Amino acid sequence: MTMLDDRQTAAAWPTAYPQGYAVVDVETTGLARDDRIISAAVYRLDALGNVEDHWYTLVNPERDPGPVWIHGLTSEVLDGAPLFPEVAAELSERLADRVLVAHNAAFDWSMIAREYARASVIAPVEHRLCTIALAKELRLPLPNHKLATLAAHFGVVQQQAHHALDDARVLAEAFRPSLHAAARGGVRLPLLECRPLTEWSDSPVAPRVGYQPSRQNSWRPSRKRPACPYPNPGRYEKEKPLQQGMRVAFSGDTSVDRELLEDRAIEAGLHVATSVSRLTSLLVTNDPDAATSKTQKAKSFGTPILEESAFTHLLRDVAPADGAALPRQAPPPSSE
C-alpha cells in the first residue's frame, strides 16, 4: 500500500496519538538489578514518525562490561567514557515530552529508570510503547518478534546488531510504517505508564562481578517444571544464539532470582535441567572454578559453561527450534 504524503496523513491523523517519540536502545552489562548501561542511543521522531535527530553515547559502567563478545565494548573502550550522571541531562532533553519507544520496552525502561535513580534524578518519561506489543496489535505476519524479523518485514537493513545506535536506527525505521499502519487501521497504541524510581540502594559488594547471594529457597515451595515441547538441538556453540530445546542447567548463586531466571529460560523455549549429563547443552554459573558436582560433570563431558550475564543477554534473542513452525508433542518428564 502506498503511504500518504505527510500533509494528507497529518490531516487524517488520530488526535489521540502522541505528538513525539524517542526511540531508544541501550546495551548493558547484563539484565539483573545491579547491571549497568554501557551505551545508549535515541532517535527523536515527530508525531508522524519522521526522524528529527539522533544521539549516541558510551557510558562507563564502573564495573566489568559483561559479555564483550556480544556487544563488543571492552573495559578499555569504556574507561574514558562519561559516567551516567554526566550524560543524564542530555538524555533527559531527548526523552522529555515524548513517548519512549523500544523493542521489549520494559527492559530498556527499567535499565534507564535505575540509572536515573542512582544519579538521584527523575527520568522525564511518562509513557512507553513496546514495538513487540505494537506488532501483536497489528497482527503482523511475523514468525517471531525479534528486532531483525520486524526489520526484515519492513525492508529495513540491520548493519550491526547489538550496537545501540544501529539498533535504534533500525527500530526507528521499522516503527514509522508500524505507526502509519496503526493510524490507518484505527488501532489504539499500546501505551503503558512509566513510574520512575525515586530511591536507590546498591546491593552489597559481591565477591564476583554479576554475583550476589541468592535467596530463592527462603520461602518459595518447589515447583514442577513443564516439559519442554522442543527437541534438543545439541550443545551451545560460542558466538551463536541459543536455540529452543536446548538443555540448560544452573549452578551456584545468581544475580537474577533463580526462579525468575528459570522462568525466563522456559518462556524462551529452553529445557531447564536439574542436573548435568552428556545431553546438557550448557551450564550457567557465576563461578566456573567452583568444585561443585555440576561444574565437574560439565568439564568432564566438555559441556559449554557460560556466566549469567552472557546467558541473560542471549535470552533476549533465542533462535526457533529446527524443522517445524510448531513444537512437537511434549515428551514424558525426563529424569533431569
Side-chain angles (χ1 to χ4, degrees):
M1 180 180 293
T2 303
M3 194 169 294
L4 298 174
D5 65 40
D6 284 350
R7 282 183 296 180
Q8 291 175 305
T9 302
W13 202 252
T15 57
Y17 277 23
Q19 295 304 301
Y21 305 88
V23 177
V24 173
D25 186 77
V26 297
E27 293 300 317
T28 67
T29 60
L31 305 183
R33 176 183 182 275
D34 292 318
D35 277 302
R36 306 296 302 271
I37 289 176
I38 54 176
S39 65
V42 180
Y43 268 72
R44 289 197 290 191
L45 311 182
D46 66 15
L48 302 182
N50 300 309
V51 174
E52 295 179 331
D53 58 31
H54 65 268
W55 173 81
Y56 171 76
T57 185
L58 296 175
V59 181
N60 186 338
E62 301 181 278
R63 54 154 287 177
D64 185 280
V68 172
W69 56 273
I70 293 178
H71 52 63
L73 298 176
T74 64
S75 296
E76 291 74 20
V77 169
L78 297 170
D79 185 53
L83 303 178
F84 186 84
E86 297 172 327
V87 302
E90 200 164 3
L91 178 58
S92 293
E93 181 183 339
R94 285 159 173 78
L95 298 178
D97 302 319
R98 295 171 187 267
V99 170
L100 184 150
V101 177
H103 204 66
N104 189 10
F107 170 75
D108 293 82
W109 164 244
S110 67
M111 296 302 300
I112 289 170
R114 289 169 188 160
E115 290 288 6
Y116 271 98
R118 288 186 187 96
S120 300
V121 180
I122 300 297
V125 180
E126 295 183 1
H127 295 92
R128 67 180 184 269
L129 188 158
C130 179
T131 47
I132 295 176
L134 180 56
K136 291 178 179 179
E137 289 285 339
L138 295 173
R139 299 184 179 181
L140 299 181
L142 306 177
N144 56 62
H145 290 97
K146 299 177 186 177
L147 175 58
T149 303
L150 180 66
H153 177 77
F154 289 112
V156 180
V157 178
Q158 192 171 27
Q159 298 173 349
Q160 192 174 357
H162 300 298
H163 187 289
L165 184 60
D166 194 59
D167 282 352
R169 174 193 62 81
V170 167
L171 189 58
E173 291 182 18
F175 176 64
R176 186 175 190 271
S178 298
L179 181 64
H180 282 248
R184 288 195 302 270
V187 174
R188 178 176 149 313
L189 296 181
L191 302 179
L192 292 177
E193 183 182 2
C194 290
R195 296 184 179 181
L197 297 174
T198 56
E199 296 181 359
W200 182 260
S201 176
D202 284 312
S203 298
V205 176
R208 283 178 60 86
V209 170
Y211 171 100
Q212 64 189 56
S214 174
R215 298 181 294 276
Q216 71 269 14
N217 295 323
S218 60
W219 60 273
R220 290 189 180 94
S222 60
R223 300 177 302 164
K224 183 177 179 180
R225 299 184 185 92
C228 181
Y230 304 103
N232 184 357
R235 289 182 174 174
Y236 166 73
E237 296 181 40
K238 187 177 181 181
E239 298 187 10
K240 290 187 178 181
L242 297 172
Q243 189 171 11
Q244 289 178 331
M246 282 186 170
R247 294 192 175 203
V248 181
F250 297 90
S251 178
D253 293 320
T254 53
S255 179
V256 176
D257 182 272
R258 175 67 70 82
E259 276 197 2
L260 177 58
L261 195 58
E262 291 179 352
D263 285 346
R264 287 178 176 173
I266 291 169
E267 288 170 3
L270 303 178
H271 174 126
V272 173
T274 57
S275 62
V276 174
S277 73
R278 296 182 187 277
L279 298 177
T280 305
S281 303
L282 74 154
L283 174 68
V284 178
T285 177
N286 284 319
D287 193 359
D289 297 322
T292 66
S293 61
K294 288 182 181 178
T295 56
Q296 289 177 336
K297 284 184 179 180
K299 290 176 181 179
S300 68
F301 295 145
T303 304
I305 298 176
L306 284 180
E307 290 199 351
E308 179 190 354
S309 59
F311 176 72
T312 52
H313 264 83
L314 289 170
L315 269 184
R316 298 167 66 182
D317 199 17
V318 176
D322 285 331
L326 296 174
R328 64 175 170 81
Q329 185 175 356
S334 70
S335 60
E336 279 203 356

